[in-house]
Amino acid sequence: MSRELPQGAEENGRNLPLDAHLHTDLSPDSDVPIDVYAALALENGISELAITDHVDFDKRDPAYDYTSFEQRERTVRDAAERWAPRGVLIRFGAELTFNRSWEGDLRAHLGRHRYDFTIGSVHDWPDSPYVPTRARTWASGRSLGDALAPYLAEITAAAGSGLFDTIGHLDVVRRYLHASFTAGEIFGAVELFDPALRALVESGTALEVNTSGYRHPSGEAYPGPPLVARYRELGGRRVTAGSDSHRAHHFAWGLEAGYRVLAEAGFTALTFRRGADRTAIGIPDRLRRPRDADGST
Ligand SMILES: [Zn+2]
Ligand SMILES: [Zn+2]
């Protein structure tokens, strides 16, 4: 099946300032030692990496207590020291799975531990209807709004919590519902995501463009371009971008296309945090849309 993919969607990004979402072998679903990413970053001209291994709060999740905070911090900080002299900057981050039922535990974790950069994501939760074995049956006969509702309730709470620097793969629910609703149907009802996008704007949380979507059947980043544009329309100004790589060959995969989605929506920089410092990282000129003839972009 041929898909129309944006330029850079089917290749590893090169000469980009930041990949802000990466899983190493400190996540149960990745097998990549941190030095492999660092070497690839050096080779491909990716200047800065955020290592964002999974932190989960549901005891049944494979990532629950898979590693300790101390082990993750030591591994990432040691690698940062080894690679900084060679020009690769490595930040200690985490991707924390959000659910309202364990929000208290998550808040306590972030109160005890300091990260350079945090991503809040909604994945699975007890009784979630989006597990592959039952999502299709569950969604059949439901309207799009009803099928999205349980996910939107969680992601809107995550966005409004103020706990995170950015929200990961905001419309990843498309992946769970792909047998029931097309990306086009979901993008045609973009206003269903307004509460989540407004919560981001109000809490000052960034929107991540996650390019793992280019590896999935729908062939769009998470979130897709209509949601990125809508976020900006609603006043959103903070964005990040990451490949969400779990394998060496996915390092910075589609990342250039992800940057283009942001540039296309009118963003000129990413908002990143390096511990105490929040910083703007410019989107390279070559990816920015040409200025309108009257200069009013
Ligand atoms: Zn995730
Ligand atoms: Zn991830």
Side-chain angles (χ1 to χ4, degrees), residues 21 23 52 54 95 123 169 210 244 246:
H21 192 148
H23 296 274
T52 55
H54 289 291
E95 181 183 25
H123 297 117
H169 45 67
N210 182 305
D244 203 354
H246 292 68

Side-chain angles (χ1 to χ4, degrees), residues 156 159-160 191 193-204 230-231 233-234:
T156 303
E191 71 283 354
F193 286 85
D194 279 4
L197 297 174
R198 284 188 209 279
L200 286 179
V201 175
E202 281 159 22
S203 64
R230 182 68 181 149
Y231 168 68
E233 220 173 273
L234 293 173

Side-chain angles (χ1 to χ4, degrees), residues 129-154:
Y130 305 111
V131 291
T133 46
R134 60 171 183 263
R136 188 176 193 158
T137 317
W138 179 82
S140 91
R142 282 189 156 81
S143 69
L144 176 60
D146 286 348
L148 291 175
Y151 178 81
L152 290 176
E154 295 303 333

Side-chain angles (χ1 to χ4, degrees), residues 74-263:
R74 192 170 58 246
T75 304
V76 177
R77 300 257 183 241
D78 285 356
E81 263 184 50
R82 283 197 302 280
W83 287 91
R86 302 170 71 178
V88 179
L89 303 174
I90 301 177
R91 308 297 173 190
F92 175 48
E95 181 183 25
L96 304 114
T97 299
F98 179 91
N99 188 266
R100 287 171 295 173
S101 64
W102 57 72
E103 182 173 349
D105 292 345
L106 205 163
R107 199 174 285 277
H109 177 89
L110 289 175
R112 280 196 308 274
H113 301 304
R114 300 182 92 88
Y115 294 98
D116 292 337
F117 175 74
T118 56
I119 302 172
S121 297
V122 173
H123 297 117
D124 200 5
W125 70 86
D127 306 321
S128 163
Y130 305 111
V131 291
T133 46
R134 60 171 183 263
R136 188 176 193 158
T137 317
W138 179 82
S140 91
R142 282 189 156 81
S143 69
L144 176 60
D146 286 348
L148 291 175
Y151 178 81
L152 290 176
E154 295 303 333
I155 201 73
T156 303
S161 71
L163 288 167
F164 311 109
D165 293 303
T166 191
I167 294 296
H169 45 67
L170 183 117
D171 69 354
V172 74
V173 66
R174 286 194 287 114
R175 184 182 186 189
Y176 313 139
L177 292 178
H178 82 273
S180 310
F181 299 98
T182 65
E185 284 172 303
I186 295 176
F187 295 154
V190 79
E191 71 283 354
L192 293 171
F193 286 85
D194 279 4
L197 297 174
R198 284 188 209 279
L200 286 179
V201 175
E202 281 159 22
S203 64
T205 307
L207 176 72
E208 175 197 74
V209 166
N210 182 305
T211 60
S212 69
Y214 294 128
R215 311 195 289 265
H216 300 157
S218 93
E220 293 281 359
Y222 301 124
L227 271 83
V228 178
R230 182 68 181 149
Y231 168 68
R232 190 166 171 88
E233 220 173 273
L234 293 173
R237 292 296 178 268
R238 292 179 179 162
V239 288
T240 64
S243 66
D244 203 354
S245 173
H246 292 68
R247 299 283 174 265
H249 62 277
H250 286 153
F251 174 71
W253 181 261
L255 196 57
E256 179 158 324
Y259 274 68
R260 282 186 200 280
V261 165
L262 290 169

